[in-house]
Amino acid sequence: MMKRILFVFFIASAITSCDKKMVAEWVATTPDAPWQTQNTSGIKLVKTASADVEILTGSTLQTIDGFGACFNELGWTSLALLPDAERETVFKELFTAEGANFTICRMPVGANDFSRDWYSYNETDGDFEMKNFSIENDRETLIPFIKSALKYNPGLTLWASPWSPPTWMKENKFYACAVMDTTFFDARYNNHIKPEQVRREGVNMFITEDKYFAAYALYFQKFIEAYRSEDIKISMVMPQNEFNSCQPFPSCTWLAAELAEFTGKHLVPTMKKLNVEVAFGTMERPNPALVDTILNAEGGDQITGVGFQWAGRDALPSIHDRYPNLKLYQTEQECGNGRNDWNGCAYSWKLMKHYFTYGTNVYDYWNISLLEGGMSRWGWTQNSLVTVNEQDKTCRYTYEYYLLKHFSHYVLPGAQRLKTAGNFDNILSFKNKNGKITVVFYNAEQTETTKTVKVGKNVFELKLKPQSINTIIL
C-alpha cells in the first residue's frame, strides 16, 4: 500500500513539474500594439539538449540605480498645454510604480538646447560674489515641472549639469560657440553669433583664472541652495555637458586639464560642504584618456561617477574595465530626428544593450515631452517620450517611451544585471532584490520567431512576435 502511495505521489509531482508556470508575466510592444499583456498559460517546459539563451541566475553584474529622463524647459511648455487632468495623468504614468517608475532624472543648470532661449542665473558682468544670482526664470518652467514629478515620486533623485556658464565667464562673451549649420539646423532659428565669437573644439572657452573658477563654484553653490529653498534637492552635479563640443546652442568647450583643475580644486570641495556628489561628465568623445585626466588629477578620487553620451559610449568599455567600482551614467540618450518612429526605437534598443553590457548603472533618456515634430529653439528636431499636439491639446506616448518602460517598470533600484549565454543576444536580464527576474527580449526580425530559454534546469519556449520588445517576469 505504501509503495502505491509513493508511486502516485511521484507521478503527481512529475505532472506538476511539467506544468509549472515559468513565466509570471509577459508584456510585448510592436509597431502596431504597444504594451500588450500576453497570455502565459501556453508557455510550457520543453525537453531539449540546448537552448537559444540561458539566464545565469547566479552570475550577477552591475547594480542598477534607476531610470529617468531630463527636465527641459520645452518639456514643461508642451505639457502645460494639456488640460490639467490629462497632464496629471502623464505625471502619474511617468513617476509612479504603476507606470514607468522613473527614479533618477537630470536637469540643466541654466539654459540648454531645449530651453525656451538662452539664459543663465547671473548675467551681471564681474559679479564674482554672485549678488545678482537668481533662478527667477525657472519658476516659470523647471520648478513647476520638477514639483509635478515630485508630487508622484517624492523620493525622485535629481542631478544637474550646465551647458554654458554665464557669458561673462567665457572669453568669447557669448553663450554658443559655432554658427548655425543650415544643412542640419533650421535656418529660421539663428543664434546671431558674431564672427569674432566663433570658436572650435580643443580650446578653453572658460576664462581659466582662479577668481573665475571660484566664482563658478559659488554659482553652483547658489544653484543648489536656491533649489533647496524650493524644497527641491539636487543630489549630484557634473561640471559641463559635452565639454568637447562646439555648438550653435548653449555650450562651452574645455581642455580636460583645465576642467580637471576646476572640478577637483573648486567644485568638489564646494559641493562637499553641501553634501552634494560630483561626477564627471558629460563625456561625448570616444577617448577614455580624457576621463583618465579628470580622475587622476587633484580631487579626482572624490569623483563618484562618470557620465557618457553620444560617441562617449565608445569610451565606456575601457573605463568600466579599468575603474570597475565607478558608477556609470548614460546621461542623454541620442535624441533621434523628431519622427518618433519604430526605427528610432530599434536604435534605442541597441544603445540600451551597449550601455548595460558595459556596466551602466543609471540610464537617463533625454526629452520627456515635446510638441509634435520636436523642434528646438535652435532649429533641431528631436524625439521625446511624450508628444503633444498643439492644436487639439492631446498627447501620446512614443515607441521609445514604451521601450524604456519595458525596463523601468520592472527593473527596480538595487536590481543586478544577470549574465546570459547562448546564440541569441538581443536580450538583457536583471534580478530584483525581491528575487524576481526580469528578462527583456528584442525580436528584430520581420517574422515571428521561437526562442528556447533556460533558467536553472528548466527550459521553456517563447514565441516572439515580429519586430517586438518583450519583457517577461520569472
Side-chain angles (χ1 to χ4, degrees), residues 269-283:
T270 300
M271 293 296 99
K272 190 173 183 179
K273 294 175 184 177
L274 298 170
N275 197 29
V276 174
E277 293 184 12
V278 177
F280 171 63
T282 59
M283 176 69 180

Side-chain angles (χ1 to χ4, degrees), residues 18 40 52 93 108 111 233 243 267 272 298 361 369 430 458:
C18 289
T40 62
D52 295 310
E93 171 66 19
K233 178 185 176 183
F243 71 98
L267 186 59
K272 190 173 183 179
E298 180 180 340
N361 307 98
S369 175
F430 308 85
N458 297 317

Side-chain angles (χ1 to χ4, degrees), residues 47-100:
K47 292 182 179 181
T48 180
S50 62
D52 295 310
V53 63
E54 180 177 4
I55 313 300
L56 303 174
T57 58
S59 297
T60 56
L61 299 164
Q62 77 267 27
T63 298
I64 306 303
D65 286 8
F67 298 81
C70 189
F71 292 103
N72 295 328
E73 282 201 297
L74 295 189
W76 176 251
T77 57
S78 61
L79 290 173
L81 296 175
L82 299 175
D84 291 349
E86 186 167 1
R87 185 169 59 254
E88 289 298 312
T89 298
V90 170
F91 280 103
K92 184 177 181 180
E93 171 66 19
L94 295 175
F95 294 101
T96 67
E98 290 75 28

Side-chain angles (χ1 to χ4, degrees), residues 184 241-242 245 282-286 308-315 330-336 347 351 354-355 366 380 382:
F184 184 82
N241 181 72
E242 297 184 352
S245 295
T282 59
M283 176 69 180
E284 86 291 25
R285 293 290 181 264
F308 299 85
Q309 57 196 55
W310 292 88
R313 64 182 179 274
D314 294 327
Q330 191 291 123
T331 46
E332 179 187 311
Q333 185 181 286
E334 296 173 36
C335 52
Y347 181 68
L351 291 174
H354 174 86
Y355 277 99
W366 177 222
W380 190 358
Q382 296 188 0

Side-chain angles (χ1 to χ4, degrees), residues 162-192:
W163 269 243
S164 173
T167 56
W168 58 272
M169 294 185 181
K170 301 170 71 175
E171 53 83 25
N172 76 334
K173 307 301 179 186
F174 196 69
Y175 68 82
C177 176
V179 297
M180 304 289 289
D181 178 359
T182 56
T183 62
F184 184 82
F185 297 96
D186 191 315
R188 294 173 296 171
Y189 300 87
N190 201 316
N191 63 7
H192 303 292

Side-chain angles (χ1 to χ4, degrees), residues 190-209:
N190 201 316
N191 63 7
H192 303 292
I193 193 171
K194 298 175 182 178
E196 63 269 22
Q197 293 172 319
V198 174
R199 295 297 182 268
R200 59 177 176 80
E201 183 171 335
V203 301
N204 284 310
M205 292 183 66
F206 192 89
I207 300 173
T208 55
E209 299 175 10

Side-chain angles (χ1 to χ4, degrees), residues 223-336:
F223 164 72
I224 298 296
E225 292 172 339
Y227 264 80
R228 284 182 179 175
S229 71
E230 295 289 336
D231 295 320
I232 297 173
K233 178 185 176 183
I234 312 298
S235 299
M236 182 270 284
V237 295
M238 295 188 188
Q240 174 65 50
N241 181 72
E242 297 184 352
F243 71 98
N244 301 284
S245 295
C246 181
Q247 302 283 17
F249 48 77
S251 53
C252 184
T253 60
W254 295 70
L255 296 178
E258 283 70 27
L259 187 56
E261 181 181 359
F262 166 67
T263 304
K265 292 183 179 180
H266 299 272
L267 186 59
V268 165
T270 300
M271 293 296 99
K272 190 173 183 179
K273 294 175 184 177
L274 298 170
N275 197 29
V276 174
E277 293 184 12
V278 177
F280 171 63
T282 59
M283 176 69 180
E284 86 291 25
R285 293 290 181 264
N287 182 4
L290 297 172
V291 180
D292 293 331
T293 299
I294 306 295
L295 297 180
N296 295 325
E298 180 180 340
D301 59 342
Q302 301 297 306
I303 301 294
T304 60
V306 178
F308 299 85
Q309 57 196 55
W310 292 88
R313 64 182 179 274
D314 294 327
L316 181 60
S318 173
I319 298 302
H320 177 51
D321 182 60
R322 292 184 292 112
Y323 302 93
N325 298 319
L326 198 63
K327 185 178 293 186
L328 304 176
Y329 295 77
Q330 191 291 123
T331 46
E332 179 187 311
Q333 185 181 286
E334 296 173 36
C335 52

